Amino acid sequence: PDLSVSTTDGSMAVFESKRPAQGRVTLGGNAALSPAKLAITLAISSGRAPVVSNATDADSGKGNIYTDGGDFFLGLPTVLEGQALIRTAMSDSASTDPSFLAFDLSLPADVFILRDNSQGIPAWMKEGYVDAFGLEVTTNTGKHMDVLKSRVPVRGRVTMGGNENGPSMYVVIAVPTPFASRWSDFPAAAAAPVPVSAISVPKGTDWASPEELGPSEKLVETQVPSELRVGATLYVDTDAVSFLTVPDALAGATVVRTAV
């Protein structure tokens, strides 16, 4: 099954070794990957036909947010720049259809909903989406749009309900999750936690390729692995990021924390 964890800093995909490991384990650095290309297809609506475009094209007067209005964004958070935008119609803002909007995602993605914060939130939105770290976007018409984010990354067919409360319609932006191009099916981790010791990283401030690794030193003299659970911190050098959700298959597992 697809596994992921949610943290106070975003969603993280979970990958498992292809075979069980024992003894010394060596991992490479967190080298940047080429961004995965996300495709949104078969977008349909029970109202006006939605249009898929680039979010940046609706920024700073370059294009419109809606298919039937002149609103545009006055700046976008970095995480949303250049991502796929599904433009809806302002005239559909009162729809109560539980299957108002549907579309297909070619890769696992965080789905963001941008909505006018002066109106109520539909029940389906409360159930499947959370506040996206306090992000807010303003428009040229004076709207203040809250940004909500799917609780977990999603892929395949996505269905959303109507806006219900009007008078301003929501729009959708989908952002491929980190490492989405390497996302694959794998068996759930079912083994009991195992002892982990002698944690070390390369000397210096920059990660190197496995061929360039020199002598190593302990990450933190007193550092020991911790238990994977909701509320646990991810890194040894900051308490600012912690787990919000943990799959049942990984609850209680041994986690080796690295440094930001």
Side-chain angles (χ1 to χ4, degrees):
D2 297 331
L3 295 179
S4 66
V5 296
S6 295
T7 78
T8 51
D9 194 39
S11 298
M12 304 180 76
V14 178
F15 296 84
E16 183 182 22
S17 59
K18 291 185 176 180
R19 294 178 296 275
Q22 183 178 4
R24 191 67 172 167
V25 176
T26 301
L27 302 177
N30 191 38
L33 298 176
S34 299
K37 183 67 175 179
L38 173 68
I40 297 181
T41 56
L42 300 177
I44 60 172
S45 169
S46 59
R48 281 69 174 175
V51 174
V52 179
S53 60
N54 189 300
T56 303
D57 292 339
D59 183 20
S60 303
K62 300 173 186 175
N64 298 326
I65 301 172
Y66 302 105
T67 59
D68 60 351
D71 295 50
F72 57 83
F73 300 125
L74 296 178
L76 279 171
T78 302
V79 69
L80 302 181
E81 291 180 350
Q83 304 300 334
L85 165 70
I86 300 179
R87 298 167 55 210
T88 55
M90 181 68 81
S91 54
D92 287 327
S93 61
S95 173
T96 58
D97 185 350
S99 301
F100 169 76
L101 176 67
F103 51 90
D104 287 345
L105 297 175
S106 62
L107 294 169
D110 291 316
V111 177
F112 293 84
I113 295 177
L114 283 66
R115 54 171 300 279
D116 190 335
N117 65 11
S118 67
Q119 56 196 41
I121 304 177
W124 65 267
M125 208 177 284
K126 289 182 179 179
E127 181 179 346
Y129 296 81
V130 296
D131 178 71
F133 324 120
L135 297 179
E136 182 181 280
V137 178
T138 57
T139 74
N140 62 308
T141 56
K143 293 185 181 69
H144 294 273
M145 305 185 80
D146 284 341
V147 181
L148 304 180
K149 175 178 166 293
S150 55
R151 292 183 181 273
V152 295
V154 294
R155 65 173 171 178
R157 196 65 171 169
V158 178
T159 301
M160 296 183 171
N163 192 61
E164 298 182 7
N165 295 288
S168 295
M169 186 57 182
Y170 67 81
V171 293
V172 178
I173 296 178
V175 179
T177 58
F179 311 114
S181 60
R182 295 187 180 182
W183 195 282
S184 61
D185 293 331
F186 48 84
V194 296
V196 179
S197 59
I199 304 170
S200 61
V201 296
K203 286 184 177 180
T205 57
D206 296 321
W207 287 92
S209 68
E211 297 76 20
E212 300 170 328
L213 296 184
S216 60
E217 60 186 0
K218 288 186 177 179
L219 183 63
V220 177
E221 288 294 333
T222 58
Q223 166 65 5
V224 294
S226 57
E227 181 181 293
L228 183 56
R229 56 178 175 77
V230 173
T233 55
L234 271 71
Y235 305 108
V236 297
D237 55 351
T238 178
D239 293 329
V241 184
S242 59
F243 291 104
L244 294 178
T245 64
V246 174
D248 291 341
L250 298 180
T254 301
V255 58
V256 178
R257 299 185 301 157
T258 57
V260 173

